[in-house]
Amino acid sequence: MYCYRKVTKDLYWIGSNDRRLSMFEGVYSVPGGVSYNAYLLLDEKTVLFDTVDAAVQEVFFENLEQLLQGRGLDYVIVHHMEPDHSATLGGLILRYPDVKIVCNAKTANMMKQFFAFDVDSRAVIVKENDTFSSGTHSFTFVNAPMVHWPEVMLSYDTTDHILFSADAFGTFGALDGAIFADEVDFERDYLDEARRYYTNIVGKYGPQVQAVLKKAGALDIAMICPLHGFVWRENIGWYLEKYQLWSSYQPEEKGVVIAYASVYGHTANAMEILSCALRERGVKVRVFDVSVTPASDVISAVFKYSHLVAASTTYNAGIFVKMEEFLNDLAAHNIQNRTVAIVENGSWAPASGKLMRQILEGCKKMNILEEGVTLKSSVKEEQRMQLEQLAENITQSM
Ligand code: FEO
């Protein structure tokens, strides 16, 4: 049965939620589910903004049919070809064979890679700053390459000042009936998931996000309609500021993320000692066992805080496998501009410290503290004092 919500007098949210998906893109856990947003404008022409993931296509098509009330679908604007938004295009063409597809040239080419239907006969190819009218609404287009794929484009409704922002400004988490960010306590209940979404989906592409923010800054935006998460119509500046921080790799807060890998608990014990020593100095600390906590959560925390402590036992003469995975993942997401301390453990030939340092030295603008700590099996009084000193050095570096 259809289930949609009104966004403005003639614009409707016709997406849906998936709470059964365990891993978004096969790699990011989504314990709170995820929403796939599509929007329908009922103007003199009918305009659909993207489609949805195949998982929620049934209710999407019911929403579309219910709202069209027998009218045809004139246009679908495709902002992003990733299948969580475009998988249903094939089904859309079968149901509405006369629909015109508004997209840029890169999107048209990708569409031909994903689908067998005739793209060229339906495509209305647009470029950045082109205009498009649906009757009472006019639109311009903004290229947003690599936010999150190269073909990504945003639309701006110059009539109602609405930015259709593709993946940008989205969040993990199902919507629980609320489609506007101001209907929930976003900062309390969704900001962590928004950060985790941002850092893992587009964190690597900070400069490209900065370029889009610059373009968006020139627009008078009253509302943002992303493809995941909430519609923004209040406090837009607050959310844009978060994007400014994240995309420029500036921490939101002073604090320390301790990420450790420990086989028999001794490295973990050292990090418990360090976390207590930091707290005694008034420093905010988050501690993660990278063998337990998914990398996407730890990466998100590293984007939030100013400092990172990486602690790992030595394993097969290298870094413990889960820590190596985490650090490589973190580096792949282009983390920059953090102060880092390294703690290694090794019962006969500690080597993880040097190797962790090599990975982190490959990241830009990292301040890696010279004085780390080496454990040989377990913490002794000498290492306890070194950990106290490390806590002091970290505190002084803030
Ligand atoms: Fe939500 Fe890049 O797709």
Side-chain angles (χ1 to χ4, degrees), residues 24-25 80 82 84-85 148 167 197 228:
F24 184 76
E25 294 186 358
H80 184 16
E82 193 164 13
D84 54 333
H85 311 295
H148 147 230
D167 274 341
Y197 169 88
H228 302 283

Side-chain angles (χ1 to χ4, degrees), residues 92-276:
L92 187 83
I93 299 299
L94 286 176
R95 288 170 173 81
Y96 302 94
D98 297 329
V99 67
K100 293 288 184 193
I101 303 170
V102 180
C103 64
N104 62 31
K106 278 186 187 157
T107 295
N109 285 337
M110 268 192 196
M111 210 173 288
K112 292 173 192 171
Q113 293 172 192
F114 276 104
F115 294 103
F117 63 76
D118 182 2
V119 174
D120 289 333
S121 67
R122 298 180 169 90
V124 178
I125 301 295
V126 294
K127 303 185 298 298
E128 186 161 57
N129 297 324
D130 278 359
T131 57
F132 166 81
S133 174
S134 58
T136 65
H137 291 258
S138 294
F139 296 86
T140 61
F141 303 101
V142 177
N143 289 338
M146 302 319 296
V147 187
H148 147 230
W149 281 13
E151 85 295 359
V152 171
M153 169 182 97
L154 318 183
S155 297
Y156 176 62
D157 177 344
T158 56
T159 310
D160 279 356
H161 307 289
I162 299 173
L163 183 68
F164 294 89
S165 64
D167 274 341
F169 308 112
T171 181
F172 290 140
L175 297 183
D176 297 355
I179 63 158
F180 297 104
D182 54 273
E183 292 180 298
V184 298
D185 189 333
F186 185 88
E187 186 166 5
R188 186 191 65 193
D189 296 334
Y190 285 92
L191 178 58
D192 285 346
E193 283 297 80
R195 185 187 306 102
R196 191 167 69 88
Y197 169 88
Y198 172 86
T199 54
N200 287 281
I201 302 298
V202 289
K204 181 179 179 64
Y205 302 110
Q208 290 86 347
V209 174
Q210 287 270 302
V212 168
L213 289 173
K214 199 169 170 193
K215 292 179 190 177
L219 303 173
D220 174 16
I221 298 173
M223 187 178 285
I224 297 176
C225 292
L227 290 177
H228 302 283
F230 298 97
V231 172
W232 286 81
R233 59 184 178 183
E234 294 180 8
N235 272 337
I236 291 174
W238 175 84
Y239 202 33
L240 287 173
E241 182 57 30
K242 293 291 180 198
Y243 263 64
Q244 284 286 3
L245 290 173
W246 298 337
S247 60
S248 58
Y249 304 99
Q250 301 295 320
E252 286 169 73
E253 291 184 29
K254 287 184 178 172
V256 181
V257 174
I258 295 178
Y260 72 78
S262 183
V263 178
Y264 291 108
H266 299 104
T267 308
N269 173 238
M271 293 304 97
E272 297 290 356
I273 292 167
L274 181 65
S275 61
C276 289

Side-chain angles (χ1 to χ4, degrees), residues 1-4 58-60 62-63 66:
M1 173 56 85
Y2 60 85
C3 177
Y4 57 79
E58 190 174 345
V59 71
F60 164 75
E62 286 174 344
N63 287 340
Q66 175 67 21

